[in-house]
CSV table of all heavy atoms in Angstrom, one decimal:
chain,number,residue,atom,x,y,z
A,294,ASN,N,9.6,8.2,5.5
A,294,ASN,CA,8.2,8.6,5.5
A,294,ASN,C,7.2,7.5,5.5
A,294,ASN,O,6.1,7.6,5.1
A,294,ASN,CB,7.9,9.6,4.3
A,294,ASN,CG,8.8,10.8,4.4
A,294,ASN,OD1,9.0,11.4,5.4
A,294,ASN,ND2,9.3,11.2,3.2
A,295,THR,N,7.7,6.3,6.0
A,295,THR,CA,6.8,5.2,6.1
A,295,THR,C,6.9,4.7,7.6
A,295,THR,O,7.5,5.3,8.4
A,295,THR,CB,7.1,4.0,5.2
A,295,THR,OG1,8.5,3.5,5.5
A,295,THR,CG2,7.1,4.5,3.7
A,296,PHE,N,6.3,3.5,7.9
A,296,PHE,CA,6.5,2.9,9.2
A,296,PHE,C,8.0,2.6,9.4
A,296,PHE,O,8.8,2.5,8.5
A,296,PHE,CB,5.7,1.7,9.4
A,296,PHE,CG,5.9,0.6,8.4
A,296,PHE,CD1,7.0,-0.3,8.6
A,296,PHE,CD2,5.1,0.4,7.3
A,296,PHE,CE1,7.2,-1.3,7.7
A,296,PHE,CE2,5.3,-0.6,6.4
A,296,PHE,CZ,6.3,-1.5,6.6
A,297,LYS,N,8.4,2.5,10.7
A,297,LYS,CA,9.8,2.3,11.0
A,297,LYS,C,10.1,0.9,11.2
A,297,LYS,O,9.3,0.1,11.8
A,297,LYS,CB,10.2,3.1,12.3
A,297,LYS,CG,9.9,4.6,12.2
A,297,LYS,CD,10.7,5.2,11.0
A,297,LYS,CE,10.4,6.7,10.9
A,297,LYS,NZ,11.1,7.3,9.7
A,298,PHE,N,11.3,0.5,10.8
A,298,PHE,CA,11.8,-0.9,10.9
A,298,PHE,C,12.8,-1.0,12.1
A,298,PHE,O,13.6,-0.1,12.2
A,298,PHE,CB,12.5,-1.4,9.6
A,298,PHE,CG,11.6,-1.7,8.5
A,298,PHE,CD1,11.2,-0.7,7.6
A,298,PHE,CD2,11.2,-3.0,8.2
A,298,PHE,CE1,10.4,-0.9,6.5
A,298,PHE,CE2,10.4,-3.2,7.1
A,298,PHE,CZ,10.0,-2.2,6.3
A,299,LEU,N,12.7,-2.1,12.8
A,299,LEU,CA,13.8,-2.4,13.7
A,299,LEU,C,14.2,-3.9,13.4
A,299,LEU,O,13.4,-4.8,13.7
A,299,LEU,CB,13.3,-2.3,15.2
A,299,LEU,CG,14.4,-2.4,16.3
A,299,LEU,CD1,15.5,-1.3,16.1
A,299,LEU,CD2,13.8,-2.4,17.7
A,300,VAL,N,15.3,-4.0,12.9
A,300,VAL,CA,15.8,-5.3,12.4
A,300,VAL,C,16.8,-6.0,13.4
A,300,VAL,O,17.8,-5.3,13.7
A,300,VAL,CB,16.4,-5.2,11.0
A,300,VAL,CG1,16.8,-6.6,10.5
A,300,VAL,CG2,15.5,-4.5,10.0
A,301,PHE,N,16.5,-7.2,13.7
A,301,PHE,CA,17.4,-7.9,14.7
A,301,PHE,C,18.4,-8.8,13.9
A,301,PHE,O,18.2,-9.1,12.7
A,301,PHE,CB,16.6,-8.7,15.6
A,301,PHE,CG,15.9,-7.9,16.7
A,301,PHE,CD1,14.9,-7.0,16.4
A,301,PHE,CD2,16.3,-7.9,18.0
A,301,PHE,CE1,14.2,-6.3,17.4
A,301,PHE,CE2,15.7,-7.1,19.0
A,301,PHE,CZ,14.7,-6.3,18.7
A,302,ARG,N,19.4,-9.3,14.6
A,302,ARG,CA,20.4,-10.1,13.9
A,302,ARG,C,19.7,-11.4,13.5
A,302,ARG,O,18.8,-11.9,14.0
A,302,ARG,CB,21.5,-10.4,14.9
A,302,ARG,CG,22.3,-9.2,15.3
A,302,ARG,CD,23.4,-9.6,16.3
A,302,ARG,NE,24.1,-8.4,16.7
A,302,ARG,CZ,25.1,-8.4,17.6
A,302,ARG,NH1,25.4,-9.5,18.3
A,302,ARG,NH2,25.7,-7.3,17.9
A,303,LYS,N,20.3,-12.0,12.4
A,303,LYS,CA,19.8,-13.2,11.8
A,303,LYS,C,18.5,-13.0,11.1
A,303,LYS,O,17.7,-14.0,10.9
A,303,LYS,CB,19.8,-14.4,12.7
A,303,LYS,CG,21.2,-14.8,13.2
A,303,LYS,CD,21.2,-16.1,14.0
A,303,LYS,CE,21.0,-17.3,13.0
A,303,LYS,NZ,22.1,-17.4,12.0
A,304,ALA,N,18.1,-11.8,10.8
A,304,ALA,CA,16.9,-11.5,10.1
A,304,ALA,C,17.3,-11.1,8.6
A,304,ALA,O,18.1,-10.2,8.4
A,304,ALA,CB,16.1,-10.4,10.7
A,305,LEU,N,16.7,-11.7,7.7
A,305,LEU,CA,16.9,-11.4,6.3
A,305,LEU,C,15.7,-10.6,5.7
A,305,LEU,O,14.6,-11.2,5.6
A,305,LEU,CB,17.1,-12.7,5.5
A,305,LEU,CG,17.3,-12.6,3.9
A,305,LEU,CD1,18.5,-11.7,3.6
A,305,LEU,CD2,17.4,-13.9,3.3
A,306,VAL,N,15.9,-9.4,5.4
A,306,VAL,CA,14.8,-8.5,4.9
A,306,VAL,C,15.1,-8.2,3.4
A,306,VAL,O,16.1,-7.7,3.1
A,306,VAL,CB,14.7,-7.2,5.7
A,306,VAL,CG1,13.6,-6.3,5.2
A,306,VAL,CG2,14.5,-7.6,7.2
A,307,THR,N,14.0,-8.4,2.6
A,307,THR,CA,14.1,-8.1,1.2
A,307,THR,C,12.9,-7.2,0.8
A,307,THR,O,11.7,-7.6,1.1
A,307,THR,CB,14.1,-9.4,0.3
A,307,THR,OG1,15.1,-10.2,0.7
A,307,THR,CG2,14.1,-9.0,-1.2
A,308,ILE,N,13.1,-6.1,0.3
A,308,ILE,CA,12.1,-5.1,-0.1
A,308,ILE,C,12.4,-4.7,-1.5
A,308,ILE,O,13.3,-4.0,-1.8
A,308,ILE,CB,12.0,-3.9,0.9
A,308,ILE,CG1,11.8,-4.4,2.3
A,308,ILE,CG2,10.8,-3.0,0.4
A,308,ILE,CD1,11.9,-3.2,3.3
A,309,LYS,N,11.5,-5.1,-2.4
A,309,LYS,CA,11.7,-4.7,-3.8
A,309,LYS,C,11.4,-3.2,-4.0
A,309,LYS,O,10.6,-2.6,-3.3
A,309,LYS,CB,10.8,-5.5,-4.7
A,309,LYS,CG,11.2,-7.0,-4.7
A,309,LYS,CD,12.6,-7.3,-5.3
A,309,LYS,CE,12.9,-8.8,-5.4
A,309,LYS,NZ,14.2,-9.0,-5.9
A,310,ARG,N,12.0,-2.6,-5.0
A,310,ARG,CA,11.9,-1.2,-5.2
A,310,ARG,C,10.5,-0.7,-5.5
A,310,ARG,O,10.1,0.4,-5.1
A,310,ARG,CB,12.8,-0.7,-6.4
A,310,ARG,CG,14.3,-0.9,-6.1
A,310,ARG,CD,15.1,-0.1,-7.1
A,310,ARG,NE,16.5,-0.2,-6.8
A,310,ARG,CZ,17.4,0.6,-7.3
A,310,ARG,NH1,17.1,1.5,-8.1
A,310,ARG,NH2,18.7,0.5,-7.0
A,311,THR,N,9.7,-1.6,-6.1
A,311,THR,CA,8.3,-1.1,-6.5
A,311,THR,C,7.3,-1.5,-5.4
A,311,THR,O,6.1,-1.2,-5.5
A,311,THR,CB,7.9,-1.8,-7.8
A,311,THR,OG1,7.9,-3.2,-7.6
A,311,THR,CG2,8.7,-1.4,-8.9
A,312,ALA,N,7.8,-2.0,-4.2
A,312,ALA,CA,6.9,-2.3,-3.1
A,312,ALA,C,6.4,-1.0,-2.5
A,312,ALA,O,7.2,0.0,-2.5
A,312,ALA,CB,7.6,-3.2,-2.1
A,313,ARG,N,5.2,-1.0,-1.9
A,313,ARG,CA,4.7,0.2,-1.3
A,313,ARG,C,4.5,-0.1,0.2
A,313,ARG,O,3.9,-1.0,0.7
A,313,ARG,CB,3.3,0.5,-1.9
A,313,ARG,CG,3.3,0.8,-3.4
A,313,ARG,CD,2.0,1.2,-3.9
A,313,ARG,NE,1.0,0.1,-3.7
A,313,ARG,CZ,0.8,-0.9,-4.5
A,313,ARG,NH1,1.6,-1.1,-5.6
A,313,ARG,NH2,-0.1,-1.8,-4.3
A,314,LEU,N,5.1,0.9,1.0
A,314,LEU,CA,5.1,0.8,2.4
A,314,LEU,C,4.3,1.9,3.0
A,314,LEU,O,4.5,3.1,2.6
A,314,LEU,CB,6.5,0.8,3.0
A,314,LEU,CG,7.4,-0.3,2.4
A,314,LEU,CD1,8.8,-0.1,3.0
A,314,LEU,CD2,6.9,-1.7,2.7
A,315,GLN,N,3.3,1.6,3.9
A,315,GLN,CA,2.4,2.7,4.4
A,315,GLN,C,2.2,2.5,5.9
A,315,GLN,O,2.5,1.5,6.5
A,315,GLN,CB,1.1,2.6,3.7
A,315,GLN,CG,1.2,2.7,2.2
A,315,GLN,CD,-0.1,2.3,1.5
A,315,GLN,OE1,-0.8,1.4,1.8
A,315,GLN,NE2,-0.5,3.2,0.5
A,316,GLY,N,1.7,3.6,6.5
A,316,GLY,CA,1.4,3.5,7.9
A,316,GLY,C,2.4,4.2,8.8
A,316,GLY,O,3.6,4.4,8.4
A,317,GLY,N,2.0,4.5,10.0
A,317,GLY,CA,2.9,5.2,10.9
A,317,GLY,C,3.4,4.4,12.1
A,317,GLY,O,3.8,4.9,13.1
A,318,GLY,N,3.3,3.1,12.0
A,318,GLY,CA,3.7,2.2,13.1
A,318,GLY,C,5.1,1.8,13.1
A,318,GLY,O,5.9,2.4,12.4
A,319,ARG,N,5.4,0.8,13.8
A,319,ARG,CA,6.8,0.3,13.9
A,319,ARG,C,6.8,-1.3,13.8
A,319,ARG,O,5.9,-1.9,14.4
A,319,ARG,CB,7.4,0.7,15.3
A,319,ARG,CG,7.7,2.1,15.4
A,319,ARG,CD,8.3,2.5,16.7
A,319,ARG,NE,7.3,2.4,17.7
A,319,ARG,CZ,7.4,3.0,18.9
A,319,ARG,NH1,8.5,3.7,19.2
A,319,ARG,NH2,6.4,2.9,19.8
A,320,LEU,N,7.7,-1.8,13.0
A,320,LEU,CA,7.8,-3.2,12.7
A,320,LEU,C,9.1,-3.7,13.2
A,320,LEU,O,10.2,-3.3,12.8
A,320,LEU,CB,7.6,-3.4,11.1
A,320,LEU,CG,7.6,-4.9,10.7
A,320,LEU,CD1,6.3,-5.6,11.3
A,320,LEU,CD2,7.5,-4.9,9.2
A,321,PHE,N,9.0,-4.7,14.0
A,321,PHE,CA,10.2,-5.4,14.7
A,321,PHE,C,10.3,-6.8,14.0
A,321,PHE,O,9.4,-7.6,14.1
A,321,PHE,CB,10.0,-5.5,16.2
A,321,PHE,CG,9.7,-4.2,16.9
A,321,PHE,CD1,8.5,-3.6,16.8
A,321,PHE,CD2,10.7,-3.6,17.6
A,321,PHE,CE1,8.2,-2.4,17.5
A,321,PHE,CE2,10.5,-2.4,18.3
A,321,PHE,CZ,9.3,-1.8,18.2
A,322,ILE,N,11.5,-7.0,13.4
A,322,ILE,CA,11.7,-8.2,12.6
A,322,ILE,C,12.8,-9.0,13.2
A,322,ILE,O,13.9,-8.6,13.3
A,322,ILE,CB,12.0,-7.9,11.1
A,322,ILE,CG1,10.9,-7.0,10.5
A,322,ILE,CG2,12.2,-9.2,10.3
A,322,ILE,CD1,11.3,-6.5,9.2
Side-chain angles (χ1 to χ4, degrees):
N294 301 319
T295 64
F296 57 83
K297 301 303 179 184
F298 287 86
L299 189 63
V300 181
F301 285 70
R302 294 178 183 175
K303 298 191 71 64
L305 177 62
V306 180
T307 302
I308 304 173
K309 295 298 185 180
R310 292 194 178 197
T311 58
R313 299 183 301 278
L314 306 177
Q315 301 169 317
R319 290 177 289 196
L320 185 61
F321 302 77
I322 303 171

